[in-house]
Structures are given as C-alpha cells and as structure tokens.
Amino acid sequence: MALDKNIAVLIGGVGGAKLASGLVEAVPPERLTFIVNTGDDFWHLGLKICPDIDTLMYTLSCLVNPELGWGIADDTTAALDSLARHYQVEPWFRLGDQDLATHILRTHWLRRGRSLTAVTTCLAERLGLRTAILPMSDDEVPTMVNTIERGELGFQEYFVKYAWSPVIRSIRHQGCEKARLSQPAQAALTEADIVLIAPSNPWLSLAPILAIPGLRDLLTRLTAPVVAVTPIIAGDAVKGPTAKIMRELGLQVSARAVARFYGGLIDGFVDDRRNEPFEIEGLRTIQLNTLMNNQADKVALARALLDWIVRWAR
Ligand code: GDP
C-alpha cells in the first residue's frame, strides 16, 4: 500500500533519480516534491540547460536513456553533427535532438519572463508527471570548481569537458549569498512529513542546495525527520566523482564521512549493508541494500527506508 505522507526530497542527478523512481511507486505521486540542484545549470549555444532537472523529468516520464541514466532513449545528434559539419563548431557538450526540444522550449518560456519554477512545472506537466519538480531557486547559483591543474572551472567544463580529471582544491556556489529558496520549495519543506536527502553527490549536487541562505535553518527547525541516504557503497561511489572528490578534499571515503558532512541537519541516515557500521551520537542509522540495479531494487529501498522512518518518527 502506498504511504500517505508528504515527502520532500533534496536531489541531484542520476543517483538521486534512481531513488526517485522507487519513491513514485511507494508514495502517491502528488504527495512527493523533488527540490532539485540547479548548480549544474548553464547556458550553452544560447540555451538554458538544467541537467539534474532534466534527468529527473526524463526518468520519471520513462523517456530516459537507460544505459546512461540521463538524456532521452534512442536520441539522435543530427543538430550537433550539423553544427560540426557545416559550421566547424565542435560542441563539447553533447545534446540529443529530442533533448534539444526541452532546452528550446525552456529557454523560450524563460525569455518570455516566466520563472524557472513555473517553466519546470509546465515541462513536467506536459510530460505527464503528477509529482512536483522544483528547482532549488529561481536565481542562478552556478557551481565553480577550483582545480589545481586548470584553476577555476565552471561545473560543466570540469565535469564534461575535462571529464572530472582535474584535482579539486575547493568548490564555491557563485551568487549563493543573494539566492532565494523558491516559495514552493519552502512550502514543500514546511509541509513535509518526511524530508529525504537523496543518494546524490553531497559536494556537487547537495551542497549547492544547502548553500541557499535560510535552507539549513529551515531544515533544523522542521519537526519532520530529515533522513539522508548514502551515495557510498563498500567504500566507493557507484559512479561519478564522489569518492575522488572526497579524497581530494582530504576526507576518508566512507558513509560516515557523508553523514558527518550533513552534520546536525539530519536525524537519520540510511547506510548500505556492505559498509562498515558506524555510530554518531543522536543519529539513527539503518543498513539496507541501497544498490539500485533495477526497478525492483529502487522500489524495495524506497519502501524499506520509509517503513523504517515511520516506525521512529512519531
Ligand atoms: P550525477 O549528477 O549524475 O553525478 O548524479 P548524483 O549527484 O545524483 O549522484 C551521483 C552519486 O550517486 C554518486 O555518489 C553515486 O555513488 C550515487 N549512486 C549512483 N547509483 C547509486 C545506487 O544505486 N545506490 C546508491 N546508494 N548510490 C548511488
């Protein structure tokens, strides 16, 4: 039976989207709100690209490329190929033809003065989604990565152009001091019975959300439990640069270090059963199978973690 509670989820891209597709089977979709990282967003060839929002929209509408976990399944690249063939523009950021439709429509609506929140809601509705997908803010807060080899890079240059190979010195969220949490995101958190922090990259996908002024205070004031899910399994990331970044920032690659990163913000932590168990005073933990290889794993994890939270969060 679906759990009838309001659930707000702070979330990044592919790792988080896996849990999201489990949650939509465990909770009535209209009871779920995803508050999505926009630190990865950027302007490219005049188009506004929001990778984490799109990954989540494509995943939940079953359009996603299942091999990559992002982009649209069976997409072609005729538009980008034409840029290269006819105009000698070699785009380093690959965009599929069907995917381009999303960026064109988003940019068109933004240019007509609508907020990113309003535009995202319209895109999600047209894709048939009944779950709220909200950007963390309508203000731009681009993630800037300070690297040893190449100095400061915009996030997509670091992540895609240089394939996250440069060594990170530090990360900053440009303009975060002035950014505001969107009103619908604030309302979703205030009205939530449970707040989840998805198994996304804590430093690249969740830190930008937590950098929005007032958000940390809001989370600590909530009576609803706040629970994070580990992105580290058996001492490593399932994919992407999380473990590499932890080493570069001088941290041990462990679920415990992730739990410490969230510090006093979380009441509970869902660890993986392959990890070394740990205790942090005042933090409830459980070990589950958090490796989501297929839809059954995703739904099982969503159900198990919600059952656990409901048992102690009265
Ligand atoms: P990105 O934008 O594609 O980097 O995606 P995210 O920020 O959402 O997630 C990257 C993180 O997701 C990495 O740290 C992965 O270890 C984690 N991740 C990916 N798949 C899984 C999984 O099946 N289970 C868990 N627990 N974490 C996962």
Side-chain angles (χ1 to χ4, degrees), residues 76-89:
T76 48
T77 54
L80 288 203
D81 295 346
S82 175
L83 273 179
R85 187 175 324 127
H86 303 304
Y87 302 105
Q88 298 81 52
V89 173

Side-chain angles (χ1 to χ4, degrees), residues 16 37 55 227 244:
N37 169 41
T55 294
V227 176
K244 177 175 179 281

Side-chain angles (χ1 to χ4, degrees), residues 82-303:
S82 175
L83 273 179
R85 187 175 324 127
H86 303 304
Y87 302 105
Q88 298 81 52
V89 173
E90 280 293 347
W92 52 271
F93 194 83
R94 305 299 293 169
L95 294 169
D97 296 323
Q98 295 184 57
D99 189 26
L100 271 171
T102 308
H103 312 311
I104 290 169
L105 192 53
R106 169 187 293 126
T107 308
H108 173 64
W109 283 340
L110 285 173
R111 294 244 186 257
R112 294 180 74 165
R114 292 160 90 172
S115 68
L116 185 61
T117 299
V119 167
T120 306
T121 299
C122 283
L123 292 172
E125 276 173 11
R126 293 206 183 179
L127 289 176
L129 299 181
R130 282 152 58 218
T131 294
I133 298 185
L134 302 173
M136 65 192 198
S137 176
D138 288 322
D139 303 311
E140 295 193 347
V141 187
T143 298
M144 304 300 293
V145 183
N146 186 5
T147 68
I148 291 182
E149 298 88 336
R150 298 187 177 271
E152 189 165 79
L153 298 170
F155 176 78
Q156 296 299 346
E157 278 185 297
Y158 161 77
F159 197 76
V160 178
K161 193 171 191 179
Y162 298 114
W164 46 274
S165 66
V167 175
I168 289 189
R169 256 199 216 113
S170 60
I171 300 166
R172 73 184 176 95
H173 312 290
Q174 188 171 295
C176 68
E177 329 64 48
K178 294 209 195 89
R180 283 149 306 160
L181 183 66
S182 75
Q183 203 284 325
Q186 179 158 355
L189 286 168
T190 311
E191 288 159 22
D193 300 304
I194 295 172
V195 176
L196 297 177
I197 300 182
S200 294
N201 185 321
W203 288 271
L204 292 178
S205 294
L206 290 156
I209 308 180
L210 298 175
I212 303 293
L215 184 68
R216 284 175 168 269
D217 278 355
L218 178 60
L219 289 181
T220 45
R221 279 202 317 271
L222 293 178
T223 47
V226 180
V227 176
V229 182
T230 183
I232 296 294
I233 300 182
D236 207 351
V238 179
K239 67 169 261 302
T242 307
K244 177 175 179 281
I245 291 174
M246 292 177 85
R247 279 190 289 273
E248 290 166 2
L249 296 178
L251 299 166
Q252 200 189 26
V253 182
S254 66
R256 182 196 176 88
V258 172
R260 285 212 172 279
F261 175 74
Y262 294 128
L265 296 178
I266 53 173
D267 307 292
F269 188 80
V270 177
D271 197 3
D272 190 89
R273 63 177 185 218
R274 298 160 191 83
N275 290 339
E276 191 68 36
F278 68 90
E279 280 182 25
I280 293 179
E281 208 188 318
L283 183 70
R284 292 170 197 265
T285 58
I286 188 171
Q287 288 195 304
L288 298 172
N289 172 34
T290 74
L291 186 61
M292 295 171 279
N293 283 330
N294 52 47
Q295 187 58 19
D297 292 343
K298 295 170 195 173
V299 178
L301 176 59
R303 293 218 165 103

